[in-house]
Structure formats: structure tokens, C-alpha cells
Amino acid sequence: MIRGWYTGASGMNAQQNRLDAISNNLANVDTAGYKRDVTVSKSFPELLIRRTNADGVYKTSVGSADAAPIIGKLGLGVETNENYTDFSQGSFKITNTNTDVAFNGKGFYVVQTPVGERYTRNGNFFVGKEGILQTKEGYPVLGENGIIHVDDDQFVVNEDGILYTKDDMTEIDRFKVVRFDNERYLKKMGNSLYSTNDIAGPAYIAEGNERPTFMQGYTETSNVNVVNEMVQMIEVNRAYEANQKTITSEDSMMGTLWQKVAVLQ
């Protein structure tokens, strides 16, 4: 019966991790470029339950055999295997603002932060006082020639991500867009930023067919489906309550057992 406590508790912990991810997804449903988190759980290896007495043993011409030695399987609980980010494409929202640039396809903008280069899908930019194209948090956006400098917000971005002045169509720079071998393992840093690691692999410049198509005057919305997330939240709550009731039942049976033993003694 004590095993049942641990099995129920492991289920509660796994559902709590799922609930945290779902809550974070719902909180960022209106965040431009946000990508939903997904929690994956796995069960512990199951054990086969066998009889320990002689019931079911029958004689044969060369000895004896057990008619049904295996009773069934015993589950030992569940644990959170991983949390990963779903980078599926979000829909597009028209803003008619020149500094808003979204792209259709895989890839990430590169921004300069005090701790080094970081990556984002949020193309909701603005022009700072120094004429630097920045994120809402004030991080400079990088082009292939370094920090992107523009005179004002009157610039044009073509489908390849090249910025031009609006007056004489002089080329300013080209957005630096990078890809990763295993982008699902990028680590979220907050403020719609990501950092890479050994599993995700180093960033490399997206060229050719790997380079996305840019759309000026649009932002990419989050890929969170509110209805699906709410349905999953209901499932999590019911699973959590079921595990909780299991622990309560196990505790009640254990209490009864202790009372009976005390009376017999």
C-alpha cells in the first residue's frame, strides 16, 4: 500500500508540471511570436506480478508446469520526461506599422543583449533614439553587417529581409536570420528570447530555401490555441484529482490495517 502513495504522488507531480506549462501558454496567448510549451511524461517500467504459491500447478509426462504463473502488470508511477517548445508557425496579424516585420517559415532574428547574442521570433520592433532598430526591451536587432541603423521608421523590407531607404531605395542592411539543427531544445530566456545549448546546436545563417519570407507591417501571433489549452487544463485537473483520491484511499486502508493490528496485539 505504501507503493500506492508514491505512485499517486508521482502522478500528481507530473500533472502539476503539465499545469504549469499550460498556464504559461495561456498567459502568453497575446504575446507576439510566442511558442507554446509542451510537457511530455513517461511511465516507470512496469513489473510482472507472479503467484508465490502452488495454485495452478499441473502434472505433465516430463514434470509439472504452472497454468497461469503471471497475474498481471504493476505500474510504478510516472515522471516528467521533458519540456520542449513547439515552434509551429503562428498566424499573422496586420499592423500597418513599418517597424513590425514577421516572417513565414523557420528561423530566428538575432538580437544583441548584455550576455551575448540571443534569438527571437518576435518582430515587433521600434526605432530607438540613436536610430537603432530595437526590440521592445531595448535590445538592438542585428543585420548581417552588425547593428541595424535606420534614419527613421520610413524604410522598406523586401521578401528576402533586405532593408532599403524609402526615398531612394538605398540598401541599408539585411536581417540576420539563423537556424538550428534541433531548435526544439532551445532554452527560453524570457522576453520572447531564446539561447542555444549543446543539444540544440550552434546557430548558422539561413540561406536559400532555409531562409523565410519576410512580411513588413505584420506580426506573428502566438501558436497557442486557447480552446485546446483549456481542454488540456480540464484533463490535468481531473487526473490530479484521481491521483489525489488514490492517495486518500491508500491512507484510509493503511489506517484501517494499523487499527486491526493494534486490536489483535
Side-chain angles (χ1 to χ4, degrees):
M1 282 183 283
I2 295 178
R3 184 186 292 114
W5 290 346
Y6 291 107
T7 301
S10 68
M12 294 174 68
N13 287 331
Q15 297 305 323
Q16 181 64 55
N17 292 334
R18 285 189 62 196
L19 183 61
D20 292 342
I22 294 172
S23 301
N24 187 54
N25 292 338
L26 291 174
N28 288 278
V29 67
D30 293 324
T31 302
Y34 176 82
K35 301 302 178 185
R36 61 187 291 265
D37 291 326
V38 180
T39 301
V40 179
S41 301
K42 69 176 182 179
S43 60
F44 294 121
E46 295 181 334
L47 296 180
L48 292 177
I49 305 176
R50 297 175 180 270
R51 284 200 306 268
T52 58
N53 54 27
D55 293 342
V57 175
Y58 61 92
K59 301 293 183 178
T60 64
S61 59
V62 293
S64 62
D66 197 328
I70 299 176
I71 298 175
K73 295 181 179 180
L74 175 66
L76 299 179
V78 66
E79 66 175 348
T80 300
N81 189 26
E82 66 170 328
N83 292 320
Y84 73 92
T85 304
D86 175 16
F87 282 103
S88 60
Q89 182 75 55
S91 58
F92 299 102
K93 178 181 179 181
I94 186 170
T95 63
N96 293 321
T97 302
N98 288 337
T99 54
D100 289 340
V101 185
F103 49 64
N104 184 17
K106 296 183 178 181
F108 298 85
Y109 293 107
V110 183
V111 299
Q112 187 67 50
T113 71
V115 293
E117 293 185 354
R118 292 296 182 263
Y119 316 98
T120 184
R121 293 277 303 190
N122 189 348
N124 185 209
F125 304 134
F126 76 102
V127 179
K129 295 181 180 179
E130 299 82 7
I132 298 176
L133 192 65
Q134 300 175 340
T135 65
K136 292 300 183 181
E137 292 76 30
Y139 300 131
V141 182
L142 298 183
E144 295 183 349
N145 298 320
I147 296 176
I148 298 177
H149 293 269
V150 292
D151 294 333
D152 50 37
D153 61 354
Q154 299 303 310
F155 59 85
V156 178
V157 181
N158 69 1
E159 292 184 353
D160 193 43
I162 302 176
L163 294 85
Y164 299 92
T165 58
K166 190 172 184 180
D167 295 334
D168 54 5
M169 294 302 290
T170 301
E171 182 176 332
I172 301 173
D173 204 340
R174 184 173 183 244
F175 278 112
K176 183 179 179 180
V177 178
V178 297
R179 294 281 303 275
F180 301 88
D181 293 331
N182 297 299
E183 62 184 18
R184 65 178 285 177
Y185 297 109
L186 291 174
K187 182 180 180 181
K188 287 187 175 182
M189 304 297 295
N191 297 323
S192 299
L193 299 178
Y194 299 89
S195 65
T196 188
N197 49 53
D198 293 338
I199 302 176
Y204 64 90
I205 302 297
E207 294 290 358
N209 295 331
E210 289 190 325
R211 190 170 178 85
T213 302
F214 290 77
M215 297 184 298
Q216 188 176 16
Y218 291 82
T219 57
E220 181 185 3
T221 63
S222 69
N223 63 352
V224 177
N225 187 308
V226 177
V227 175
N228 290 342
E229 297 296 325
M230 292 300 296
V231 170
Q232 291 185 39
M233 181 175 287
I234 295 173
E235 292 176 354
V236 167
N237 287 332
R238 289 179 176 175
Y240 190 92
E241 291 175 358
N243 283 283
Q244 188 177 31
K245 290 179 180 178
T246 299
I247 294 178
T248 302
S249 299
E250 294 281 349
D251 182 67
S252 177
M253 288 188 293
M254 183 62 73
T256 302
L257 176 62
W258 288 338
Q259 292 176 1
K260 297 295 183 181
V261 172
V263 170
L264 292 176
Q265 290 180 348

